[in-house]
């Protein structure tokens, strides 16, 4: 397990919460009603082998290297000489642990090499708020607004609550995609400011859940049950992952678990490998689903039928 | 081909469509030969009479045919998709390119040796005797420099006619051409010819009588042909077609001379006039106006009385669009290579509002729906479909429009009532008329049947080139020609204010030169061409006794066109930030790097820095405020000038800004050196008001925000925005709704003028695999995940491409 240096993300002057934000995506589809801006926060307590956003996992800024854009220094040698941190010969990209943004050598390399880019920068709630408000004219019609996502946004619990509070103060619709694997207190504080919640049920069996994601599902289920009890607009989703949760027995188990906590609707997300290339950009070779073909909607029709038989409205 | 949402074309329309798409266009010489003969024989006649006789002779002598598939008659040339030659406008290029038409890289036209000979035989008569010859001779010498150096382009306007208008089809259908002839006759009879000005008017009235009669006879030729064919069909036992042809003949006996009585007659009448206007002059962007409004009464009546079913009406409209597609135009190669596909911009407008007892109401009707449907079914480049948007446009109609967008042929374009109507009223257009505006050609707008020609004006000003000249102390850096008095050289500038000052000085002078060139073109066109039928059908030409060019139209506002808005924005921002604020590059280094077209390692590095500066289209005030400031200088200057119709009758007679420069961004870019935004020499400029290619990195909402910061109320000539969307955005109903929401918000909240969506096709995705550098901004969206297409693995890309096919 790597140890990260997590700086104090709190600016002294304004006393604003801050967080590492790796993307603010405007006009994002599939993330709630209307036209939405999605704020992606960096860091996640889970390590799902199929994760398609590997850049979201670590809680610090990282450097990506896209060899194809790196015209001046196409070989890793060239990059190595610029950055001075590369394990030469391995073509594995930058060594994330030792690369420190702010180091003049790194900054110089970032400036010179179009193939290098930083993922994630430290931003305050006000800074992010201003960007979200740019699209305010688009939110009203159709009930759009802002969605917080990640990683796991509630890794930055104080930041989320502060930002959501500011958004609600302006009457903006709020939504969050959360794993639910966060302290109950944090979860409840955030939910208070949310209009819509998206959560995953990845496995009903906690042992298997731990094997696939690195954590058990007890805390997640507890938070999910709480979310149900608040009566807020909640959508549960299940990524259907080959060999992890895609058997018909898995479907039955998950459907029953959902009924148990009072959920009768679930969205199934077929597995896709679109994140694979990102692992390489980050210099990582730990993508667990290399070469596994994408699942298409028609492939999981039987799986879906099990839910329907169990009285859970599963849809794609 | 057609999306299943709209259903298929009928078999015969599908067959007609296939034939048209398979046709290799030919050069047609009939019109050229007839025109030459008339011009030779009628040299002594007043212009109006000569032009009327020309049209009469063309309509009498040109070959006509009725295709077995069609239910409306009327052809522009001896074969469909053939392009007539209009020698009176320009002839040098025709002769120069005679042997090249077949060898072009695109837009190939075939021509027989016999026809080449015919054209050569008439050339001596036209040498130094065309509009182009007189136009080139007429430019004041200093202004001609701007023209010759490609800074202000208006070549298309002295090599062809005006057009860019919609005539009064509503009046035509209600009154018939005979009423126009009656009014012209009455006016003629009451003229006091002791006043020489009335003698001039009498020519115009006599000319109208000639062309109305000629059009009546033209319809008569088709009626006779239809009867002949009916007899033949009958003999062959095809009674159904025989009956249909007899019906066509009866309609043609009646319209366009008489008022239309049925939808079929109305469509036949409109088509024959639209076609005749394309024979009278070779100006393009002849538009149908608000067709759903003027056709609906006939359709409604036919439905009530059972004269037509909705399926039959659908086929009739499809037939009209296929006919519309048969019209073709051949342009000089120098134009063609930048406007491939010989676009004619024949616009049809639907939707919008109407005034009922002074109250604005939604104007959509079943005809609006039928036009959407039939245009989608035809899925062609013509007509150009525009939807007038307003806040109360019904959701289901909006959704239907999005379904058309989804078909992936770039239509419809949306224009915003809430911006255009108030802007017209503010400029003096009567409220009733303002509510009746339509799109003309592409994005520009006018009141159909009441507006002068070419609301886009004549000249295209290349903004980035103007900037380079301003930075170079008024000297064109390409030719070394001193064009205007400058304010010093950029190399010596020490503050960004100096950049804005040099721009202010130079662009005002350029604007003045645009007006001079515009006025010269207008003057020569007025002296040399007169479009009698077009003027006859435009109010109040008959009342005033003036053709459109002389000031006959009720309104006459024109915009000139400004090209390269985004390049100007990005250039200013890059200079301000990189050179004057961060001081990473000196003015001299930047200027030298641009002159070297960014060649060399150091210059390449400078280019990267300039490219990395803030770009227009990202809702970034830093750059958006600069372009507003820079553009406003031009707009302010433009307001000072009048067009050639000022004070001669029309309301207006002035200029305003406009950006509907559709394809001019390509040739104007080809003639422009490297610019401070990092663009290399020769690369296309940005189109309309859209961001530079790949510069918008934050999606459509940010683009809309940036565009909305321009002075839209003053750019009445059109704020053109092309927005790219991937088919995936449109693949799910839920997301299609979001595109509708996005459009509504752009208009309702941000008061946008125009938008059209280009669905990125499968071909584009394939091209993005081969040339990722050209598609950096291409975003593909899948459930719960978005990515830049070009960074995905090949196999992933393939997968998406595969799905894209399914989605469409």
């Amino acid at each position: 397990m790597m140890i990260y240096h997590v700086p104090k993300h709190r600016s002294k002057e304004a006393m604003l919460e801050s967080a590492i934000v790796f993307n603010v995506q405007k006009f994002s589809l599939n993330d709630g009603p209307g036209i939405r801006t999605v704020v992606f926060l960096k860091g996640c307590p889970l390590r799902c082998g199929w994760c398609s956003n590997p850049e979201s996992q670590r809680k610090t800024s990282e450097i990506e290297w896209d060899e194809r854009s790196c015209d001046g220094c196409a070989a890793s040698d060239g990059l190595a000489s610029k950055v001075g941190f590369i394990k030469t010969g391995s073509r594995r990209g930058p060594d994330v642990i030792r690369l420190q943004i702010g180091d003049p050598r790194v900054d110089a390399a970032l400036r010179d090499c179009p193939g290098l880019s930083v993922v994630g920068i430290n931003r305050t709630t006000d800074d992010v708020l201003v960007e979200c408000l740019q699209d305010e004219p688009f939110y009203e019609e159709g009930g759009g607004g802002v969605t917080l996502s990640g990683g796991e946004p509630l890794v930055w619990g104080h930041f989320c609550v502060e930002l959501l509070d500011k958004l609600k103060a302006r009457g903006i619709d709020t939504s969050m995609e959360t794993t639910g694997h966060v302290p109950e207190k944090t979860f409840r504080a955030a939910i208070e400011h949310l209009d819509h919640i998206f959560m995953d049920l990845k496995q009903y069996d906690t042992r298997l859940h731990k094997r696939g994601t690195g954590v058990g599902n007890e805390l997640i289920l507890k938070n999910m049950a709480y979310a149900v009890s608040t009566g807020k607009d909640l959508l549960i989703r299940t990524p259907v992952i080959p060999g992890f949760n895609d058997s018909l027995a898995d479907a039955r188990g998950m459907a029953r678990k959902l009924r148990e906590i009072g959920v009768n609707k679930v969205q199934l997300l077929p597995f896709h490998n679109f994140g694979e290339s990102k692992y390489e950009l980050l210099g990582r070779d730990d993508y667990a689903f290399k070469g596994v073909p994408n699942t298409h909607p028609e492939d999981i029709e039987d799986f879906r039928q099990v839910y329907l038989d169990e009285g859970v409205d599963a849809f794609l | 081909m057609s999306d299943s949402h709209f259903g298929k074309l009928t078999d015969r329309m599908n067959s007609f469509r296939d034939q048209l798409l398979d046709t290799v266009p030919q050069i047609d010489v009939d019109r050229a030969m007839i025109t030459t003969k008339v011009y030779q024989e009628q040299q002594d006649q007043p212009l109006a009479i000569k032009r009327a006789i020309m049209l009469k002779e063309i309509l009498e002598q040109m070959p006509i045919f009725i295709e077995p598939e069609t239910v409306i008659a009327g052809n522009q040339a001896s074969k469909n998709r053939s392009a007539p030659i209009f020698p009176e406008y320009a002839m040098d290029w025709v002769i120069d390119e005679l042997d090249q038409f077949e060898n072009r890289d695109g837009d190939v036209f075939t021509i027989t040796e016999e026809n080449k000979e015919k054209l050569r035989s008439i050339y001596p008569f036209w040498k130094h005797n065309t509009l182009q010859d007189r136009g080139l001779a007429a430019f004041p010498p200093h202004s001609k420099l701007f023209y010759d150096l490609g800074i202000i382009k208006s070549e298309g306007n002295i090599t062809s006619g005006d057009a860019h208008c919609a005539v009064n089809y509503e009046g035509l259908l209600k009154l018939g051409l005979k009423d126009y002839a009656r009014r012209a006759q009455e006016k003629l009879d009451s003229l006091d010819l002791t006043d020489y000005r009335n003698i001039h008017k009498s020519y115009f009235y006599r000319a109208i009588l000639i062309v109305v009669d000629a059009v009546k006879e033209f319809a008569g030729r088709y009626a006779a042909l239809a009867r002949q064919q009916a007899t033949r069909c009958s003999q062959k036992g095809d009674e159904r077609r025989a009956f249909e042809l007899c019906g066509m003949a009866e309609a043609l006996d009646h319209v366009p001379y008489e008022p239309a009585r049925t939808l079929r007659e109305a469509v036949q009448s409109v088509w024959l006039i639209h076609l005749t206007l394309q024979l009278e002059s070779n100006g393009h962007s002849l538009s149908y106006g608000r067709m759903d409004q003027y056709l609906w009464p006939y359709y409604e009546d036919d439905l009530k009385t059972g004269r037509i079913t909705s399926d039959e009406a659908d086929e009739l409209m499809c037939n009209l669009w296929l006919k519309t597609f048969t019209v073709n135009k051949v342009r000089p190669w120098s134009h063609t290579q930048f406007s491939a596909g010989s676009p004619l911009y024949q616009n049809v407008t639907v939707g919008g509002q109407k005034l009922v007892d002074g109250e604005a109401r939604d104007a959509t009707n079943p005809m609006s729906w039928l036009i959407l449907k039939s245009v989608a079914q035809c899925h062609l480049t013509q007509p150009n479909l525009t939807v007038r948007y307003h806040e109360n446009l019904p959701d289901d109609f909006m959704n239907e429009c999005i379904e058309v967008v989804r078909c992936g042929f770039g239509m419809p374009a949306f224009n915003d009532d809430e911006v255009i109507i108030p802007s017209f009223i503010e400029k003096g257009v009567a409220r009733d008329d303002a509510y009746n505006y339509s799109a003309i050609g592409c994005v520009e707008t006018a009141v159909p049947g009441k507006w002068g020609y070419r609301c886009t004006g004549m000249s295209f000003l290349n903004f980035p080139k103007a900037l380079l000249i301003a930075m170079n102390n008024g000297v064109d850096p390409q030719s070394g020609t001193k064009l205007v008095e400058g304010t010093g050289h950029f190399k010596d500038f020490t503050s960004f204010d100096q950049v804005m000052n040099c721009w202010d000085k130079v662009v005002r002078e350029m604007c003045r030169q645009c007006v001079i060139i515009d006025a010269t073109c207008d003057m020569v066109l007025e002296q040399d061409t007169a479009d009698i039928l077009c003027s006859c059908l435009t109010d109040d030409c008959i009342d005033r006794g003036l053709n459109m060019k002389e000031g006959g139209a009720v309104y006459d506002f024109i915009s000139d066109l400004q090209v390269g808005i985004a390049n100007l924005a990005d250039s200013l921002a890059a200079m301000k930030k990189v050179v004057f604020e961060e001081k990473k590059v000196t003015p001299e280094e930047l200027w030298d790097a641009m002159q070297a077209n960014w060649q060399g390692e150091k210059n390449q590095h400078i280019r990267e820095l300039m490219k990395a500066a803030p770009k227009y289209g990202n809702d970034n005030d830093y750059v958006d405020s600069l372009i507003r400031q820079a553009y406003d200088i031009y707009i302010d200057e433009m307001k000072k000038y009048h067009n050639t119709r000022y004070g001669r009758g029309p309301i207006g007679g002035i200029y305003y800004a406009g950006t509907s420069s559709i394809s001019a961004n390509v040739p104007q870019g080809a003639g422009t050196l490297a610019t401070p935004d990092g663009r290399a020499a020769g690369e296309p400029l940005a189109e309309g008001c859209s961001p530079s290619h790949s510069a918008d990195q934050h999606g459509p909402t940010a683009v809309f925000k940036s565009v909305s910061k321009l002075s839209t109320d003053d750019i009445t000539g059109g704020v053109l925005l092309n927005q790219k969307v991937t088919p995936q955005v449109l693949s799910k109903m839920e997301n299609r709704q979001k595109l509708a929401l996005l459009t509504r918000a752009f208009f309702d909240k941000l008061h946008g003028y125009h938008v059209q969506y280009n669905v990125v096709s499968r071909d584009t995705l394939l091209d993005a695999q081969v040339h990722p550098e050209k598609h950096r901004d291409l975003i593909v969206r899948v459930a719960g995940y978005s990515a830049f297409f070009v960074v995905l693995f090949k196999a992933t890309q393939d997968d998406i491409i595969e799905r894209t096919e399914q989605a469409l």
Side-chain angles (χ1 to χ4, degrees):
Chain A
M1 196 69 192
M2 283 176 275
I3 298 163
Y4 302 99
H5 164 66
V6 182
K8 270 205 156 60
H9 292 286
R10 205 172 169 89
S11 117
K12 279 178 193 146
E13 303 88 282
M15 293 302 283
L16 294 172
E17 293 292 338
S18 66
I20 300 284
V21 177
F22 73 93
N23 192 13
V24 175
Q25 170 88 54
K26 290 171 175 173
F27 192 62
S28 186
L29 304 172
N30 311 310
D31 295 297
I35 292 170
R36 306 198 77 82
T37 299
V38 182
V39 179
F40 291 94
L41 304 181
K42 204 157 156 16
C44 186
L46 274 58
R47 285 294 176 274
C48 307
W50 60 86
C51 183
S52 62
N53 285 327
E55 76 276 28
S56 72
Q57 292 179 343
R58 292 170 175 153
K59 207 181 166 182
T60 51
S61 301
E62 289 177 84
I63 289 184
E64 274 188 351
W65 177 48
D66 187 350
E67 191 185 8
R68 288 170 295 180
S69 310
C70 182
D71 34 326
C73 45
S76 53
D77 277 356
L79 188 67
S81 65
K82 275 183 179 156
V83 185
F85 293 108
I86 304 298
K87 293 170 188 162
T88 42
S90 75
R91 254 195 91 268
R92 277 194 45 207
D95 183 330
V96 189
I97 304 164
R98 293 172 58 200
L99 269 179
Q100 291 292 330
I101 294 149
D103 181 316
R105 286 166 302 175
V106 175
D107 288 351
L110 280 168
R111 202 168 52 234
D112 289 347
C113 177
L116 284 178
S117 55
V118 177
V119 184
I121 49 170
N122 192 28
R123 300 180 64 174
T124 65
T125 49
D126 272 3
D127 182 29
V128 173
L129 179 70
V130 165
E131 192 169 353
C132 292
L133 291 179
Q134 284 191 305
D135 270 11
E136 204 174 357
F138 296 97
Y139 296 151
E140 195 185 313
E141 275 188 88
V146 174
T147 301
L148 303 188
S149 184
E152 167 50 60
L154 291 177
V155 164
W156 306 94
H158 295 298
F159 174 91
C160 288
V161 170
E162 188 172 290
L163 178 58
L164 290 169
D165 191 35
K166 289 173 178 176
L167 288 164
K168 287 317 299 177
R170 282 164 178 78
I172 290 171
D173 184 272
T174 56
S175 162
M176 181 182 282
E177 293 172 315
T178 170
T179 62
H181 189 76
V182 293
E184 286 172 78
K185 197 176 150 209
T186 308
F187 188 82
R188 293 178 181 206
I191 278 215
E192 204 180 307
H193 301 282
L194 286 170
D195 298 305
H196 321 278
I197 306 145
F198 293 85
M199 292 182 79
D200 279 5
L201 177 63
K202 302 182 206 300
Q203 224 332 325
Y204 70 97
D205 180 331
T206 187
R207 281 175 311 116
L208 292 174
H209 195 282
K210 183 156 188 180
R211 205 177 295 162
T213 70
V215 303
N217 67 11
E218 293 83 357
L219 183 56
I220 294 171
L221 290 170
K222 207 182 275 178
N223 279 328
M224 197 180 284
Y226 175 76
V228 172
S229 75
T230 61
K232 299 246 179 186
D233 178 28
L234 171 70
L235 178 64
I236 305 298
R237 305 198 276 206
T238 293
V240 185
I241 307 301
F244 170 66
N245 65 3
D246 68 339
S247 75
L248 301 183
D250 288 325
R252 191 167 305 111
M254 286 192 283
R256 288 180 181 168
K257 187 63 85 180
L258 288 173
R259 298 264 324 257
E260 218 172 87
I261 52 176
V263 174
N264 53 17
K265 203 170 124 184
V266 65
Q267 183 177 22
L268 303 178
L269 307 172
F271 167 77
H272 65 76
N273 56 25
F274 298 161
E276 186 173 352
S277 57
K278 291 187 178 178
Y279 284 81
E280 189 169 308
L281 297 179
L282 291 162
R284 287 171 53 170
D285 58 2
D286 54 342
Y287 183 56
F289 283 75
K290 265 181 206 162
V292 177
N294 285 340
T295 305
H296 294 111
E298 57 274 20
D299 303 332
I300 55 170
E301 211 21 66
D302 293 347
F303 184 85
R304 190 173 83 92
Q305 191 57 46
V306 174
Y307 279 86
L308 300 180
D309 294 344
E310 292 290 333
V312 176
D313 175 18
F315 65 99
L316 285 162
Chain B
M1 176 58 75
S2 305
D3 190 273
S4 57
H5 179 86
F6 293 103
K8 288 194 166 80
L9 289 172
T10 59
D11 287 346
R12 61 177 175 178
M13 287 307 144
N14 198 42
S15 152
F16 188 32
R17 182 178 182 277
D18 284 347
Q19 288 169 42
L20 293 176
L21 286 175
D22 289 343
T23 305
V24 179
Q26 300 183 7
I27 300 288
D28 188 274
V29 302
D30 291 322
R31 188 198 175 281
M33 303 311 290
I34 298 165
T35 300
T36 307
K37 191 155 175 288
V38 172
Y39 267 65
Q40 285 168 336
E41 290 172 0
Q42 310 290 340
Q43 286 192 57
D44 47 353
Q45 288 294 328
L47 177 67
I49 304 283
K50 181 165 71 177
R51 295 289 290 174
I53 294 173
M54 174 199 77
L55 187 61
K56 172 176 168 284
E57 299 280 324
I58 292 168
L59 298 182
E60 273 177 16
Q61 294 170 36
M62 64 173 277
I64 61 165
F65 54 85
I66 297 172
E67 308 86 341
E69 297 86 3
T70 60
V71 293
I72 45 178
N75 53 290
Q76 187 205 19
S78 53
K79 291 197 174 63
N80 281 327
R81 305 278 304 144
S82 286
I85 296 290
F86 294 71
E88 69 272 35
Y89 295 96
M91 201 55 190
D92 287 350
W93 73 267
V94 176
I95 300 301
D96 287 348
E97 297 182 23
L98 267 187
D99 292 322
Q100 300 306 319
F101 288 130
E102 284 171 271
N103 303 321
R104 292 175 163 197
D105 287 341
D107 280 358
V108 170
F109 287 85
T110 61
I111 178 166
T112 63
E113 287 303 319
E114 185 194 348
N115 282 342
K116 284 185 193 172
E117 270 321 300
K118 283 186 179 171
L119 290 175
R120 287 196 186 99
S121 75
I122 60 170
Y123 184 46
F125 175 76
W126 293 109
K127 217 162 163 49
H128 298 292
N129 191 22
T130 64
L131 174 75
Q132 186 184 27
D133 297 315
R134 281 187 268 275
L136 290 174
F139 285 131
H142 187 67
S143 304
K144 187 156 184 293
L145 275 180
F146 290 82
Y147 177 86
D148 289 342
L149 294 171
I151 298 152
I152 303 170
K153 273 275 181 194
S154 66
E155 194 184 348
N157 308 307
I158 51 167
T159 55
S160 69
D162 278 291
H164 287 78
C165 61
V167 298
N168 187 352
Y169 283 118
E170 189 183 349
L172 170 82
L173 296 179
K174 277 186 185 154
L175 305 168
L177 272 182
K178 70 173 183 187
D179 195 65
Y180 292 82
R182 177 189 61 78
R183 283 166 53 209
Q185 185 71 58
E186 279 175 17
K187 283 295 215 178
L188 180 61
D189 293 344
S190 67
L191 283 178
D192 172 8
L193 294 180
T194 61
D195 183 337
Y196 78 98
R197 284 168 303 190
N198 288 341
I199 300 177
H200 186 72
K201 288 180 181 180
S202 75
Y203 304 144
F204 177 51
Y205 292 131
R206 281 164 53 202
I208 289 174
L209 297 175
I210 294 169
V211 297
V212 167
D213 196 48
V215 173
K216 187 182 176 209
E217 294 303 320
F218 188 46
R221 288 180 71 198
Y222 282 107
L225 180 62
R227 289 204 168 84
Q228 277 174 28
Q229 290 192 1
T231 311
R232 229 172 297 146
C233 286
S234 190
Q235 285 160 356
K236 283 190 208 149
D238 188 353
E239 288 303 336
R240 207 174 147 182
R241 178 64 180 164
F243 181 75
E244 196 170 63
L245 284 159
C246 287
M248 286 168 71
E250 278 165 34
L252 287 155
D253 287 341
H254 197 76
V255 293
Y257 189 71
E258 299 282 343
R261 296 167 297 191
T262 64
L263 180 65
R264 286 181 193 283
E265 285 186 357
V267 170
Q268 176 67 72
S269 183
V270 168
W271 169 244
L272 215 57
I273 293 300
H274 180 76
L275 175 74
T276 308
L277 293 172
Q278 311 256 18
L279 286 161
E280 182 173 43
S281 147
N282 66 345
H284 57 71
S285 297
L286 275 169
S287 298
Y288 288 114
R290 297 185 78 189
M291 187 176 257
D292 59 339
Q293 302 306 303
Y294 63 74
L295 285 187
W296 169 234
Y298 302 94
Y299 184 30
E300 186 180 26
D301 196 44
D302 281 7
L303 284 173
K304 271 187 199 148
T305 55
R307 266 196 296 267
I308 204 163
T309 66
S310 59
D311 283 348
E312 286 166 345
D314 181 26
E315 185 182 55
L316 179 67
M317 295 312 290
C318 289
N319 200 160
L320 176 64
W321 308 135
L322 293 169
K323 278 280 182 189
T324 302
F325 181 68
T326 66
V327 176
N328 208 345
K329 174 170 179 171
V330 57
R331 297 171 169 87
W333 177 237
S334 58
H335 280 199
T336 306
Q337 52 186 321
F338 304 117
S339 60
S342 39
L344 280 142
Y345 313 108
Q346 301 166 89
N347 190 290
V348 58
T349 300
V350 299
Q353 299 165 88
K354 61 183 173 188
L355 291 175
V356 180
D357 302 328
E359 295 277 317
R361 297 259 192 282
D362 173 59
T364 54
N365 60 44
M367 197 68 206
S368 325
W369 286 78
L370 185 60
I371 289 173
L372 282 189
K373 179 183 178 182
S374 53
V375 170
Q377 286 173 315
C378 290
H379 198 114
L380 290 168
T381 52
Q382 299 292 317
N384 215 4
L385 176 64
T386 294
V387 171
R388 271 180 52 177
Y389 175 82
H390 60 100
E391 208 167 347
N392 297 317
L393 193 72
D395 279 332
D396 55 353
F397 190 76
M398 190 69 186
N399 293 340
E400 190 80 346
C401 294
I402 300 293
E403 288 296 333
V404 181
V405 169
R406 195 177 160 216
C407 295
F409 62 121
M411 292 182 210
F414 295 94
N415 273 17
D416 186 9
D417 278 14
E418 325 280 359
V419 169
I420 293 160
I421 292 171
S423 177
F424 274 177
I425 291 173
E426 191 261 327
K427 289 183 169 61
V429 175
R431 190 159 175 263
D432 279 351
D433 288 338
Y435 272 89
N436 197 36
Y437 83 90
S438 78
I440 303 293
C442 343
V443 44
E444 60 271 34
T445 48
V447 178
K450 292 191 173 183
W451 208 278
Y453 288 121
R454 210 182 267 279
C455 42
T456 51
M458 292 284 180
S459 47
F460 294 76
L461 176 59
N462 185 333
F463 263 1
K465 195 159 184 151
L467 177 66
L468 292 179
I469 292 165
M471 290 164 67
N472 198 32
N473 196 22
V475 176
D476 174 32
Q478 251 154 316
S479 63
T481 312
K482 176 93 177 175
L483 289 166
V484 295
E485 207 50 53
T487 62
H489 200 284
F490 175 67
K491 285 183 180 186
D492 307 319
F493 287 0
T494 53
S495 76
F496 182 70
D497 286 346
Q498 288 175 286
V499 176
M500 290 309 278
N501 285 340
C502 78
W503 169 255
D504 184 300
K505 175 133 199 230
V506 169
V507 82
R508 284 182 190 277
E509 176 58 16
M510 297 265 182
C511 178
R512 207 176 68 86
Q513 292 295 342
C514 279
V515 173
I516 296 172
I517 287 178
D518 228 69
T520 312
C521 293
D522 268 340
M523 183 184 73
V524 175
L525 275 157
E526 182 178 338
Q527 289 163 353
D528 223 48
T529 62
D531 304 325
I532 307 305
L533 182 64
C534 197
S535 296
C536 159
L537 291 169
T538 301
D539 304 348
D540 286 326
C541 288
I542 293 183
D543 278 348
R544 291 192 195 138
L546 300 172
N547 71 33
M548 290 162 81
K549 214 68 196 173
E550 295 166 333
V554 176
Y555 304 106
D556 203 322
F557 298 85
I558 57 174
S559 69
D560 271 349
L561 297 170
Q562 298 83 51
V563 187
I565 309 298
N567 304 95
L568 176 64
D570 298 347
S571 293
L572 292 172
M575 285 191 283
K576 186 176 185 201
K577 188 156 188 76
V578 180
V579 179
F580 296 105
E581 285 178 4
E582 296 174 352
K583 299 191 190 298
K584 285 180 178 165
V585 180
T586 68
E588 184 158 8
E589 284 171 327
L590 172 60
W591 183 260
D592 292 342
M594 290 194 298
Q595 291 300 298
N597 197 23
W598 314 113
Q599 295 301 303
E601 200 176 328
K602 185 184 166 201
N603 293 338
Q604 191 58 43
H605 181 64
I606 293 175
R607 183 185 193 187
E608 290 303 328
L609 290 172
M610 301 310 279
K611 280 174 118 169
K615 296 279 178 269
Y616 168 79
N618 294 293
D619 193 11
N620 181 337
D621 284 339
Y622 186 88
V623 49
D624 297 345
S625 63
L626 283 175
I627 183 60
R628 165 132 190 171
Q629 195 188 337
Y631 202 171
D632 281 355
I633 295 168
Y634 176 89
I635 291 170
D636 175 63
E637 182 69 18
M638 199 49 150
K639 285 178 177 166
K640 296 177 184 169
Y641 302 107
H642 300 144
N643 66 39
T644 61
R645 280 78 68 199
Y646 182 76
R648 298 165 80 178
I651 293 168
I654 57 166
Y655 289 94
Y656 41 62
T659 67
S660 58
S661 56
I662 282 288
S663 62
N665 60 311
V666 181
Q668 293 220 328
T672 303
L673 296 176
T675 39
D677 54 348
R679 182 192 140 278
E683 285 179 10
L685 305 176
E687 59 169 8
C689 279
S690 310
S692 294
H693 196 43
S694 293
D696 50 319
Q697 303 281 342
H698 292 94
T701 56
V703 173
F704 288 179
K705 285 285 298 291
S706 281
V707 172
S708 72
K709 290 179 215 171
L710 295 169
S711 303
T712 308
D713 293 344
D714 280 328
I715 312 174
T716 313
V719 183
L720 181 145
L721 174 61
N722 271 326
Q723 182 62 43
K724 195 159 47 180
V725 288
T726 54
Q728 286 150 314
V729 173
L730 298 164
S731 63
K732 282 165 69 180
M733 177 55 90
E734 179 197 337
N735 290 342
R736 293 202 284 280
Q737 298 283 350
K738 292 192 181 182
L739 193 66
L741 287 174
L742 179 73
T743 311
R744 282 190 182 278
F746 177 50
F747 290 135
D748 294 349
K749 300 277 164 53
L750 298 174
H751 307 292
Y753 184 104
H754 159 276
V755 67
Q756 63 190 42
Y757 296 101
N758 290 328
V759 183
V760 179
S761 67
R762 184 173 183 277
D763 289 349
T764 306
L765 295 177
L766 288 169
D767 190 59
Q769 288 188 312
V770 185
H771 302 290
E773 72 283 0
K774 290 186 190 164
H775 300 277
R776 286 188 297 123
D777 59 335
L778 188 59
I779 294 171
V780 283
R781 294 164 197 274
V782 284
Y785 179 77
S786 333
F788 285 102
F789 182 76
V790 295
V791 306
L792 297 172
F793 279 167
K794 172 88 168 45
T796 309
Q797 294 178 341
D798 289 345
D799 193 76
I800 290 174
I801 290 170
E802 220 170 278
R803 287 179 184 211
T804 303
E805 275 291 75
Q806 289 164 1
L808 275 180

